[in-house]
Amino acid sequence: MLSDFKMKELNDDAEIRNLWLEGIHNLDQRQAPKKNKDFYDFIIVGAGTAGCVLARELIYNIPNINILVLEAGPPDIQVNDIMRSPCAFPSIIRTIETDWGYFTEDQTMPSAVDPTKEVLNRRIHCARGKVVGGCSTVNAMIYMRGQEADYNLWATQGPEYEIWDYNHCLEAFKATENNTRKNPDEEFKKYHGFNGLLYVQDKQNDFDDILKDVIKIAKNLGIPYNNDFNGARQNGIGEYQHTMKDGKRFSLADGYLADALKKVETYPPSKPFELGSPHRLGDDVAKFVAVNVKCFSHMLNIIWDEERKDENVAIGVKYFYDGRVHESFIAPKGEVIICGGAINSAQVIILKIKADFSIKQ
């Protein structure tokens, strides 16, 4: 004969089973939960050079925001950390996992030797990083800025372009740079920063004998030696600096995105934990103040405000992620920022133009 305690256990067990079976039988009768829309203050398309810097600057300079960063490629790590090895960059610069695989078009142009004849410039590979860190994760790590004359030319296009003059850009370069050259002279200090998040260093080992001979020959030919290709002049022969730290690659993801990801808060701040609270969180938690990065997220299109078609107002993005199409939207006063690089940023905008043209047709 079963004891009263044992009978109670059996009855409790039977009740639990009945409740579970009832739940299974009624599963198809339940109302499916409504799909929640993802809202962010900023959506950055592309975790390359610009995207990484923007994510970090926004999260630390605007209070109580959250940011979604979409990257079509993988994280910036591989087996054995091949992306960190300077000598391994040829292995990642043209692989389908980390490069978009773009090529230039064949072009014919007048010969410089005989203008009456044409020469064929065959197509070449145009490397574009498809990975967190973008091209800074797959390039040859040579730290080389643009020509001063180019920036000043951009600035002459109108008042809204004046910020692109070289002096403005130089201040931005210096702010991002953490140059580790030992005992820099005063001239070098005019053009470089030493407190930024992007590490830049000189070559760690001595020149090969053949390179020393090349520099010697160049000097004999009257080509000036240049110990800083980002200084007052960029012509001459010398040694590049590299975006490296301790002999390893250092990308914008290593500096800026990694720092952005450190900031994780709640807004409004959660109350102290209370005993008896089922989730141990206060009721006033609204959102995470953080940067959310989604890798393998292929951008499909910008979502435009249908009520303001003539103004081309973006309200979100549509992208393919985790096997299906997702939509994320920006909160009021939020922004969609396209940081897809020189080619893909334009391609995203062209998708809008093509869609409009098709509708008009």
Side-chain angles (χ1 to χ4, degrees):
M1 186 174 180
L2 297 175
S3 65
D4 292 342
F5 178 77
K6 192 64 175 179
M7 284 294 297
K8 185 178 184 306
E9 278 192 333
L10 290 175
N11 290 335
D12 289 345
D13 183 65
E15 184 179 357
I16 292 171
R17 287 175 182 271
N18 288 333
L19 289 172
W20 180 76
L21 288 172
E22 181 182 350
I24 293 296
H25 289 315
N26 295 335
L27 188 62
D28 58 343
Q29 301 177 16
R30 297 178 185 174
Q31 182 179 1
K34 294 181 179 180
K35 181 180 179 181
N36 293 325
K37 291 183 178 180
D38 290 333
F39 280 91
Y40 295 87
D41 295 295
F42 292 90
I43 299 176
I44 299 175
V45 180
T49 298
C52 290
V53 174
L54 268 173
R56 193 269 175 188
E57 294 303 292
L58 289 171
I59 198 67
Y60 280 106
N61 288 288
I62 302 179
N64 307 324
I65 63 169
N66 55 11
I67 303 171
L68 173 64
V69 180
L70 301 176
E71 171 54 47
D76 57 335
I77 54 173
Q78 281 188 351
V79 177
N80 296 327
D81 214 14
I82 190 173
M83 292 187 186
R84 294 289 182 271
S85 177
C87 64
F89 86 90
S91 301
I92 58 175
I93 202 168
R94 292 183 64 174
T95 61
I96 191 172
E97 291 86 0
T98 55
D99 183 80
W100 282 100
Y102 293 137
F103 284 82
T104 63
E105 295 290 333
D106 289 343
Q107 292 181 323
T108 57
M109 60 185 298
S111 170
V113 178
D114 186 354
T116 63
K117 297 181 179 180
E118 289 187 334
V119 294
L120 174 64
N121 288 332
R122 298 187 181 277
R123 72 173 192 163
I124 60 172
H125 173 237
C126 182
R128 294 282 88 194
K130 186 177 68 172
V131 59
V132 169
C135 290
S136 70
T137 300
V138 301
N139 62 16
M141 294 156 286
I142 295 172
Y143 184 64
M144 179 73 78
R145 301 169 186 164
Q147 293 281 331
E148 178 178 348
D150 287 335
Y151 294 106
N152 290 335
L153 180 61
W154 295 342
T156 62
Q157 296 178 93
E160 67 271 29
Y161 295 95
E162 290 179 358
I163 196 172
W164 286 103
D165 73 60
Y166 183 72
N167 288 330
H168 278 104
C169 291
L170 178 58
E171 292 307 309
F173 291 142
K174 292 168 66 174
T176 60
E177 181 184 3
N178 187 341
N179 202 295
T180 60
R181 175 168 288 188
K182 296 179 179 179
N183 303 317
D185 58 28
E186 293 303 314
E187 180 70 12
F188 189 86
K189 292 178 181 178
K190 291 180 183 178
Y191 295 93
H192 293 274
F194 304 90
N195 298 302
L197 296 177
L198 177 65
Y199 275 80
V200 178
Q201 67 177 34
D202 290 306
K203 191 175 180 180
Q204 297 298 288
N205 56 326
D206 292 333
F207 268 180
D208 296 328
D209 290 339
I210 189 171
L211 294 179
K212 292 179 180 178
D213 290 338
V214 169
I215 291 176
K216 182 178 179 180
I217 293 170
K219 289 181 178 180
N220 292 337
L221 293 173
I223 300 175
Y225 181 76
N226 192 340
N227 73 339
D228 181 14
F229 287 112
N230 295 302
R233 58 184 178 85
Q234 290 185 302
N235 64 311
I237 189 168
E239 179 184 357
Y240 297 122
Q241 286 198 299
H242 299 85
T243 51
M244 295 167 58
K245 181 183 179 183
D246 301 328
K248 297 180 180 180
R249 174 190 296 277
F250 197 88
S251 70
L252 272 298
D254 296 320
Y256 280 83
L257 188 59
D259 195 58
L261 294 174
K262 294 177 182 178
K263 183 171 182 177
V264 181
E265 301 172 357
T266 55
Y267 177 77
S270 58
K271 295 178 181 178
F273 292 154
E274 297 179 4
L275 294 176
S277 176
H279 303 294
R280 299 183 65 80
L281 286 174
D283 296 330
D284 56 351
V285 175
K287 68 177 180 181
F288 278 111
V289 176
V291 176
N292 181 21
V293 181
K294 288 187 177 181
C295 294
F296 302 109
S297 300
H298 191 89
M299 174 74 171
L300 298 177
N301 210 339
I302 298 172
I303 301 173
W304 303 94
D305 189 341
E306 292 296 322
E307 297 180 359
R308 303 166 67 184
K309 289 183 177 180
D310 295 338
E311 301 178 55
N312 291 328
V313 176
I315 59 173
V317 296
K318 181 183 292 186
Y319 57 99
F320 188 80
Y321 170 72
D322 196 25
R324 63 186 180 89
V325 175
H326 293 252
E327 292 183 350
S328 293
F329 296 86
I330 52 174
K333 299 184 179 180
E335 291 186 20
V336 174
I337 306 175
I338 306 299
C339 296
I343 296 175
N344 289 52
S345 290
Q347 182 256 351
V348 169
I349 303 302
I350 289 172
L351 290 175
K352 163 66 173 173
I353 297 172
K354 290 180 67 176
D356 289 346
F357 181 77
S358 298
I359 293 172
K360 292 178 181 179
Q361 289 291 91

